[in-house]
Coordinates of all heavy atoms in Angstrom, one line a residue:
A68 N -68.6 -87.6 81.8 CA -68.1 -86.9 83.0 C -67.8 -85.4 82.7 O -68.1 -84.5 83.5 CB -66.9 -87.6 83.6
V69 N -67.2 -85.2 81.5 CA -66.8 -83.8 81.2 C -68.1 -83.0 81.0 O -68.1 -81.8 81.5 CB -65.9 -83.8 79.9 CG1 -65.7 -82.4 79.4 CG2 -64.6 -84.5 80.1
H70 N -69.0 -83.5 80.4 CA -70.4 -82.8 80.2 C -71.0 -82.6 81.6 O -71.5 -81.4 81.8 CB -71.4 -83.7 79.4 CG -72.6 -83.1 79.0 ND1 -73.8 -83.8 78.8 CD2 -73.0 -81.8 78.8 CE1 -74.7 -83.0 78.5 NE2 -74.3 -81.8 78.4
S71 N -71.0 -83.5 82.5 CA -71.5 -83.3 83.9 C -70.7 -82.1 84.5 O -71.4 -81.3 85.2 CB -71.3 -84.6 84.6 OG -71.9 -84.4 85.9
Q72 N -69.4 -82.1 84.4 CA -68.7 -81.0 85.0 C -69.0 -79.6 84.5 O -69.1 -78.7 85.2 CB -67.2 -81.3 84.8 CG -66.7 -82.5 85.6 CD -65.3 -83.0 85.2 OE1 -64.7 -82.4 84.3 NE2 -64.8 -83.9 86.0
G73 N -69.2 -79.6 83.2 CA -69.7 -78.4 82.5 C -71.0 -77.9 83.0 O -71.2 -76.7 83.3
L74 N -71.9 -78.9 83.1 CA -73.3 -78.5 83.7 C -73.2 -78.0 85.1 O -73.9 -77.1 85.5 CB -74.2 -79.7 83.6 CG -74.6 -80.2 82.2 CD1 -75.3 -81.5 82.2 CD2 -75.4 -79.2 81.4
Y75 N -72.3 -78.7 85.9 CA -72.1 -78.3 87.2 C -71.6 -76.9 87.4 O -72.1 -76.1 88.2 CB -71.1 -79.2 87.9 CG -70.9 -79.0 89.4 CD1 -71.9 -79.4 90.4 CD2 -69.8 -78.4 89.8 CE1 -71.7 -79.1 91.7 CE2 -69.6 -78.1 91.2 CZ -70.5 -78.5 92.2 OH -70.3 -78.3 93.5
K76 N -70.7 -76.5 86.5 CA -70.2 -75.2 86.5 C -71.3 -74.2 86.1 O -71.4 -73.1 86.8 CB -69.1 -75.0 85.4 CG -68.4 -73.7 85.4 CD -67.3 -73.6 84.4 CE -66.7 -72.2 84.4 NZ -65.7 -72.1 83.3
S77 N -72.2 -74.4 85.2 CA -73.3 -73.6 84.8 C -74.3 -73.5 86.0 O -74.8 -72.4 86.2 CB -74.0 -74.1 83.6 OG -73.1 -74.0 82.5
I78 N -74.5 -74.6 86.7 CA -75.5 -74.6 87.8 C -74.8 -73.7 88.9 O -75.6 -72.9 89.6 CB -75.7 -76.0 88.3 CG1 -76.6 -76.8 87.3 CG2 -76.4 -76.0 89.7 CD1 -76.6 -78.3 87.5
K79 N -73.6 -73.8 89.2 CA -72.9 -73.0 90.2 C -73.0 -71.5 89.9 O -73.3 -70.7 90.8 CB -71.5 -73.4 90.4 CG -71.2 -74.6 91.2 CD -69.8 -75.0 91.4 CE -69.1 -73.9 92.3 NZ -67.7 -74.4 92.7
E80 N -73.0 -71.1 88.6 CA -73.2 -69.7 88.2 C -74.6 -69.3 88.6 O -74.8 -68.2 89.1 CB -72.9 -69.5 86.8 CG -71.4 -69.6 86.4 CD -71.2 -69.6 84.9 OE1 -72.1 -69.1 84.2 OE2 -70.1 -70.0 84.5
Y81 N -75.6 -70.2 88.2 CA -77.0 -69.8 88.6 C -77.2 -69.7 90.1 O -77.9 -68.8 90.5 CB -77.9 -70.9 88.0 CG -79.4 -70.6 88.3 CD1 -80.1 -69.9 87.5 CD2 -79.9 -71.1 89.5 CE1 -81.5 -69.6 87.8 CE2 -81.2 -70.9 89.8 CZ -82.0 -70.1 89.0 OH -83.3 -69.8 89.3
I82 N -76.6 -70.6 90.8 CA -76.8 -70.6 92.2 C -76.3 -69.3 92.9 O -76.9 -68.7 93.7 CB -76.0 -71.8 92.8 CG1 -76.7 -73.1 92.5 CG2 -75.8 -71.7 94.4 CD1 -75.9 -74.4 92.8
S83 N -75.0 -68.8 92.4 CA -74.5 -67.7 93.0 C -75.3 -66.4 92.6 O -75.4 -65.5 93.4 CB -73.0 -67.5 92.5 OG -72.9 -67.3 91.1
E84 N -75.9 -66.4 91.4 CA -76.7 -65.3 90.9 C -78.1 -65.3 91.6 O -78.8 -64.2 91.6 CB -76.9 -65.4 89.4 CG -75.7 -65.2 88.6 CD -75.9 -65.6 87.1 OE1 -76.9 -65.9 86.8 OE2 -74.8 -65.4 86.4
N85 N -78.5 -66.4 92.2 CA -79.8 -66.5 92.8 C -79.8 -66.7 94.3 O -80.8 -67.3 94.9 CB -80.6 -67.5 92.1 CG -81.0 -67.1 90.7 OD1 -82.0 -66.4 90.5 ND2 -80.2 -67.4 89.7
D86 N -78.7 -66.4 95.0 CA -78.7 -66.5 96.4 C -79.1 -67.9 97.0 O -79.8 -68.0 97.9 CB -79.5 -65.4 97.1 CG -79.1 -65.2 98.5 OD1 -77.9 -65.4 98.9 OD2 -80.0 -64.8 99.4
M87 N -78.5 -68.9 96.3 CA -78.7 -70.2 96.8 C -77.3 -70.8 97.2 O -76.3 -70.2 96.9 CB -79.3 -71.1 95.6 CG -80.6 -70.6 95.2 SD -81.2 -71.6 93.7 CE -81.9 -73.0 94.5

Side-chain angles (χ1 to χ4, degrees):
V69 172
H70 187 212
S71 183
Q72 291 168 356
L74 293 172
Y75 182 76
K76 183 178 177 189
S77 296
I78 290 166
K79 281 182 69 171
E80 287 174 18
Y81 178 89
I82 290 167
S83 66
E84 293 167 3
N85 287 276
D86 197 31
M87 299 174 83

